[in-house]
Amino acid sequence: MEIVKIENLSFTYPERQQKALDQVNLKIQAGEFVVICGESGCGKTTLLRMLKREMAPHGEKSGEITYCQTRLEDLDERTAAGEIGFVMQNPEHQIVTDKVWHELSFGLENLGVPTQVIRRRVGEMSCFFGIHPWFKKKTTELSGGQKQLLNLAAVMVMNPKLLILDEPASQLDPIAASDFIRTLQKLNMELGLTIVLVEHRLEDVFPLADKAVIMEKGRVLYAGPPQQAGQALKNIDSRHNMLLGLPSAVRIYNGLSVEDTCPLTVKEGRDFLDRHFDNHTCAAMESPRRHKDTGEYAIEAKNLWFRYERDLPDIIEGLDLKVRKGEFLSILGGNGSGKTTLLSILAGQKKAYQGRLSIWGKKIKTYKNNELYKHNLALLPQNPQQLFLKSTVQSDYVEICRVMGYSKEETKEHIEKSLSLLGIAHLAGQHPYDLSGGEQQKAALGKILLLKPSILLMDEPTKGIDACSKHNLTRILKDLKDQGLTILMVTHDVEFAAENSDRCGMIFDHQLLSVDVPEVFFSDNNFYTTAANRIARHMYKNAITCQDVITMCTRNGGCP
């Protein structure tokens, strides 16, 4: 039975010429797990919000959406609120109460559900999601993963029939993200819940999906089995941008001329390699030449200690860090491990109560006024909206150029270059808050680059952006690094870190551990590693990217 039917749906935002959605037709069967993907700005989030009547954006709409054969506009309020659940990308934006148990009961109280029923449902969901150990905690005390799990539980306690999620794992570390996705699988398999999920990180969700929907410029490019998505894209364009975003097993398969069923999972990818390739000629990937140590350090931290309040436990304990001039260093770790706190300390926004911190060999406390930030150090925050102050991207860029003291001609030249570099010239006249998450991320980076920093600190720069944009970001950062820029990145994106870093490290137990070149760092990990490494590690040592695996397979040839 069809639970959702979308017919000839088109939508245009106010004062926009281009349609956000253009003649979208889609059918979703009850109990299906549907994954929607596509480049940033292709209309994914707009489509999701159109499915939730209360969250539908304002603008010009044509076409029709029906839920259980009833037009969305005709649904009664209880059905619309209770049977269609929505989980947002940013967990902070959805939590509205102060305590965990308050959050779980909030929706049911608003529906006028009897107290005894509320208590029973809240108790059941708390046990199902493993929330009971922190049931009475304040919501402000939860980690990012716990907050997102709470959002999901608060929706599920309403007993929805349709669950809509907009990149729910984008701010979670790899382990928390995998746990969250497995929870969705359990809800789909055990409760028969219909799930519609928008996600850029397809590694974990593609194998679970009954249907993959690929969007491009507001249209549905493909809707069908995930196993056939790669071939469908290749038939449209052999170099289609979305091919870069497919799971590692699919990308490895696409990079090798082998007639076989397309693998989706790590297990299927390993079986595929075992059937068709050997490792007799060469069993180890040569480590590429990494950053040359010049002996000069951009950042030196020794024995840093930090806590937010005197009576609270330490977040950072005796942390040591050295970042070489012109190096790209990535720091990974779980949600709440202290990664963002460390960046804030290094950026001078927070002060360690013990330890020594130097930028370019000069103690950070000796920098006066804006000396630390002018053509020196810049921080790209995790939430890009923190950087926007004006009503358009262009106005924001002009303002930062004014602060930097650029002339009128320099301002025009720098802004045009920054917009062109990131491919966002078409967004210059738009309000930053009207952009998609990925577009906001790129616009924020463009503003930061106008500072012309020599040290760039980045907190989750790939959050919410598609694979093609990541590929372009790789090129941009490489060019900047070749010009002498020093980069320190905090990220959950292990593939991006593996591809771009000179060294990687992990924050655990309040300290920075295991700093090493990516080939060693990721090859020794089981969870904080790439899917490509999991697929090929039994055959090829140090192969950590899809291209590494393809290269090794090509060198070794097929099985005899």
Side-chain angles (χ1 to χ4, degrees), residues 193-436:
L193 181 66
T194 306
I195 295 177
V196 180
L197 169 72
V198 160
E199 187 57 70
H200 282 304
R201 300 194 306 190
L202 301 178
E203 205 71 58
D204 292 327
V205 300
F206 233 55
L208 307 181
D210 300 301
K211 181 183 293 179
V213 178
I214 301 175
M215 296 187 66
E216 184 177 64
K217 297 180 180 178
R219 289 179 171 268
V220 172
L221 197 64
Y222 170 81
Q227 293 87 347
Q228 299 172 20
Q231 189 58 51
L233 286 173
K234 289 176 75 174
N235 292 340
I236 296 170
D237 182 353
S238 62
R239 301 181 67 182
H240 197 282
N241 290 336
M242 272 305 297
L243 289 168
L244 297 169
L246 297 178
S248 296
V250 180
R251 280 181 283 158
I252 292 169
Y253 171 83
N254 287 338
L256 299 166
S257 300
V258 176
E259 289 293 329
D260 199 349
T261 303
C262 178
L264 285 181
T265 65
V266 168
K267 179 182 177 181
E268 291 171 359
R270 289 168 70 96
D271 291 343
F272 171 78
L273 292 189
D274 287 337
R275 286 197 303 271
H276 298 287
F277 299 94
D278 62 37
N279 62 349
H280 296 155
T281 305
C282 181
M285 185 81 187
E286 300 100 343
S287 296
R289 187 179 300 171
R290 292 288 173 178
H291 176 70
K292 186 177 180 181
D293 187 0
T294 60
E296 185 176 358
Y297 290 98
I299 301 172
E300 290 182 89
K302 181 69 175 176
N303 195 33
L304 293 184
W305 291 73
F306 177 84
R307 64 179 65 158
Y308 281 97
E309 294 180 20
R310 183 182 298 271
D311 297 330
L312 293 178
D314 288 306
I315 304 297
I316 302 292
E317 297 180 0
L319 186 143
D320 296 330
L321 170 69
K322 287 186 177 182
V323 184
R324 306 179 183 111
K325 178 182 178 181
E327 182 181 27
F328 191 140
L329 176 65
S330 293
I331 296 178
L332 299 95
N335 290 98
S337 60
K339 304 184 300 298
T340 295
T341 300
L342 175 61
L343 281 195
S344 298
I345 295 170
L346 299 179
Q349 296 178 351
K350 294 181 173 63
K351 184 179 178 182
Y353 71 83
Q354 184 176 320
R356 185 175 71 250
L357 174 60
S358 299
I359 306 296
W360 297 119
K362 181 178 177 181
K363 290 183 179 178
I364 194 168
K365 63 183 179 182
T366 62
Y367 283 90
K368 304 299 181 184
N369 301 320
N370 289 326
E371 185 186 1
L372 179 62
Y373 307 107
K374 217 165 185 180
H375 299 294
N376 195 0
L377 183 147
L379 170 64
L380 177 67
Q382 186 174 134
N383 182 1
Q385 291 186 359
Q386 294 176 2
L387 291 179
F388 299 119
L389 305 171
K390 303 293 183 179
S391 58
T392 66
V393 174
Q394 177 82 17
S395 301
D396 251 305
Y397 282 19
V398 170
E399 175 64 18
I400 199 67
C401 288
R402 185 191 65 77
V403 172
M404 293 298 292
Y406 298 144
S407 67
K408 202 169 185 179
E409 293 75 19
E410 287 175 328
T411 295
K412 185 174 184 294
E413 178 186 345
H414 290 330
I415 290 177
E416 287 179 354
K417 183 178 179 182
S418 187
L419 292 171
S420 174
L421 188 67
L422 290 156
I424 54 172
H426 61 292
L427 304 178
Q430 296 186 26
H431 196 293
Y433 286 17
D434 289 340
L435 307 181
S436 71

Side-chain angles (χ1 to χ4, degrees), residues 176-188:
S178 294
D179 289 343
F180 189 88
I181 298 301
R182 278 198 295 271
T183 300
L184 294 182
Q185 181 187 22
K186 191 175 180 181
L187 292 171
N188 176 248

Side-chain angles (χ1 to χ4, degrees), residues 57-71:
H58 175 66
E60 183 181 339
K61 172 195 167 188
S62 63
E64 190 170 89
I65 304 174
T66 58
Y67 168 77
C68 294
Q69 301 179 342
T70 303
R71 294 171 67 248

